Amino acid sequence: AQRVTQPEKLLSVFKGAPVELKCNYSYSGSPELFWYVQYSRQRLQLLLRHISRESIKGFTADLNKGETSFHLKKPFAQEEDSAMYYCALSGLLNNAGNMLTFGGGTRLMVKP
Amino acid sequence: NAGVTQTPKFQVLKTGQSMTLQCAQDMNHEYMSWYRQDPGMGLRLIHYSVGAGITDQGEVPNGYNVSRSTTEDFPLRLLSAAPSQTSVYFCATQNGASGANVLTFGAGSRLTVL
């Protein structure tokens, strides 16, 4: 079975401080990992995915297969980063399509 | 393009009532899915469809029915609402197997069951 765990429900940091949102997963195959974000009054949207190895809005995430983690990091948090962040894993479901399994979410609050 | 349109945005039901949450997309995406969002539990997959005429159960399908008669529409039916179904429901689409699991979400439907 596949599972995604985000241990922190709420993370509060000051503007300019580094931020790390933790994500751990369990999956028997080769995973694809994603971070989705929901800003206030906006729709859920893709932030980044590990296969792209890109930095979006200053955020990066590295897949660590040894630790089964995909933590989201940003060196200097901005107030506009305040949002709900979801880690997600893609795995085969009933041999029909790759559906996403989401973690419980972490609310990031960046204080001025 | 409207993308993914969900209706209604808000609904209050009494226990035992039935209703349908509508989801329509104009992107010609093959895959459609329904998730429910509950505090601390993230998004959980209810039902999904990989094409017209094909549906399957997700993680939490009990109490919900779906059908996919067209590519565009994927309604979610609650046959006899229960307070445990109070949640925010999201419809999402994906551009088939080549969509690289990039989901496009609707705005959500907030359902309260009294």
Side-chain angles (χ1 to χ4, degrees):
Chain A
Q2 56 201 54
R3 186 183 178 92
V4 178
T5 303
Q6 294 179 248
E8 304 140 328
K9 291 185 179 179
L10 174 65
L11 185 62
S12 182
V13 301
F14 284 103
K15 176 182 173 182
V19 62
E20 180 178 72
L21 287 81
K22 291 183 168 49
C23 172
N24 290 92
Y25 68 90
S26 63
Y27 183 62
S28 56
S30 183
E32 290 187 60
L33 275 297
F34 306 81
W35 278 98
Y36 278 78
V37 61
Q38 187 175 26
Y39 300 103
S40 178
R41 298 187 183 85
Q42 294 188 28
R43 303 185 182 201
L44 270 157
Q45 58 187 285
L46 176 70
L47 179 63
L48 55 79
R49 43 187 163 165
H50 90 271
I51 59 173
S52 300
R53 302 187 66 81
E54 56 198 347
S55 173
I56 303 294
K57 298 184 179 183
F59 284 98
T60 59
D62 290 319
L63 179 59
N64 186 323
K65 292 186 178 180
E67 297 183 357
T68 60
S69 68
F70 188 57
H71 303 327
L72 184 68
K73 300 177 184 178
K74 185 170 182 177
F76 307 103
Q78 303 299 315
E79 290 182 68
E80 55 265 30
D81 296 328
S82 296
M84 193 74 177
Y85 292 80
Y86 291 98
C87 183
L89 178 150
S90 170
L92 207 58
L93 187 69
N94 295 337
N95 296 317
N98 291 339
M99 294 298 149
L100 293 185
T101 296
F102 286 84
T106 298
R107 181 167 297 282
L108 174 64
M109 292 179 57
V110 182
K111 297 176 286 188
Chain B
N1 285 353
V4 181
T5 303
Q6 288 184 236
T7 56
K9 286 187 168 55
F10 302 94
Q11 183 72 50
V12 179
L13 291 177
K14 294 181 179 178
T15 297
Q17 286 185 318
S18 63
M19 77 157 300
T20 300
L21 299 177
Q22 302 290 347
C23 177
Q25 56 116 345
D26 61 1
M27 299 173 291
N28 203 33
H29 284 179
E30 291 180 67
Y31 292 5
M32 296 186 75
S33 50
W34 277 101
Y35 290 85
R36 59 177 290 174
Q37 182 187 44
D38 300 292
M41 305 189 74
L43 285 87
R44 292 179 291 169
L45 182 65
I46 304 171
H47 284 284
Y48 67 97
S49 168
V50 297
I54 306 169
T55 63
D56 212 335
Q57 297 181 350
E59 181 185 355
V60 289
N62 292 342
Y64 307 95
N65 279 353
V66 292
S67 60
R68 184 95 180 272
S69 56
T70 66
T71 300
E72 294 77 20
D73 299 296
F74 191 46
L76 178 72
R77 298 184 186 85
L78 285 73
L79 299 179
S80 179
S84 60
Q85 294 178 303
T86 294
S87 187
V88 181
Y89 292 85
F90 288 98
C91 179
T93 69
Q94 177 185 331
N95 192 13
S98 63
N101 292 305
V102 177
L103 298 181
T104 300
F105 283 90
S109 297
R110 183 176 293 274
L111 176 65
T112 301
V113 183
L114 303 176

